[in-house]
Amino acid sequence: MAVVDIPGSKSITARALFLAAAADGVTTLVRPLRSDDSEGFAEGLVALGYRVGRTPGAWQIDGRPQGPAATEADIQCRDGATTARFLPALAATGHGTYRFDASAQMRRRPLAPLTRALRDLGVDLRHEEKEGHHPLTVTATGVKGGNVTLDAGESSQYLTALLLLGPLTRQGLRIRVTDLVSAPYVEITTAMMRAFGAEVRVDGDVFVVPPGGYRATTYAVEPDASTASYFFAAAALTGGEVTVPGLGTGALQGDLGFVDVLRRMGARVEVADDRTTVTGTGELRGLTVNMRDISDTMPTLAAIAPFASGPVRIEDVANTRVKECDRLEACAENLRRLGVRVETGPDWIEIHPAAAGEALAQGADIKSYGDHRIVMSFAVTGLRVPGITFDDPGCVRKTFPGFHEAFGKLRDVLG
């Protein structure tokens, strides 16, 4: 049995940093994720004038309910979607001019539904080059609040940014959502807002957030469930056993639901109060699964699908085409490099098992597209296919800088 300590959740760390910066008082974040994304978010806060103290096991943030201390700032969001989408909303609560830019990869990712909603709320926001994309400038005078309509069909992060903003507005927000993908991530947001003293009411497709701000607290960041999916998948694939402490029945993250997919495929799964264990049984069954709510784990499933006894069809994942890369096509191309038969559609991928006795192509070079999830997913495939290499193995620093070392130790344990 392998017990794997997974780094803190990227999603929770980003939300906690926003909430801590907006809260009245000093917040301590326990076991936050230390990665390129979270460091970029923290540096963005510092550029906006917030104090962020970082030690190995905890970060302390001095909150400013009145908004950023800086009246001018130039923030580099790197590859971080949460940084690029949450921080402009936070900056809007201040008084000053704040410019945001990002990596070439993040510049390609869409922002338009969020920036349209912010403009509808009276925020002076200008895209400098391509409309709906970084770079952008916010000329902030605080946010009055009111009613707004949002399309969150591309990313739930648009809704999260507005929800986090709500208690900082003068009148509160009433947000009507016309479409929503990855709904469990919104549930993370509302639960964390309540932990920091804010209220959120949900009535069908309408979210109501009254004004009132946030209270500082001490907040422990749970392990990242999306990252845990690679280690759980490794157990299911090899017939081994993996336990991840800190992710159990009370976990906030919907991506822990990936273990239910593995259970349907034949793995044994035990979710306790404070840990989750997956044990491989030597069987992986094919299935059809809707992964709209856990789409970040789609590549993990795609990477082990060729070893199932029947086809694996993953549906309702159109939003994976606008992540760090087009993940549907990235998975399809890399599986084809391994000799796997794959079909794709606008929002689905179907992966066929290797024929009986047929080995997958060894020594394949996996094209990462600079996407950490592609590399980590196909590292799982490498447990059964010798010689897999990656054109950019270092891109895992986005969420798990020590991934290759941790996965190498797991490989040794699982044999």
Side-chain angles (χ1 to χ4, degrees), residues 50 86 91 178 196 204 231 236 277 279 319 338 383 389 402 404 410 412:
Y50 298 92
F86 297 176
T178 60
F196 279 79
F231 296 86
T277 300
T279 306
N319 68 311
L338 292 166
L383 295 173
T389 59
H404 294 295
L410 179 70
D412 292 340

Side-chain angles (χ1 to χ4, degrees), residues 270-285:
E270 180 186 357
V271 183
D273 289 344
D274 62 346
R275 62 188 54 227
T276 295
T277 300
V278 173
T279 306
T281 61
E283 178 185 25
L284 279 178
R285 297 188 291 267

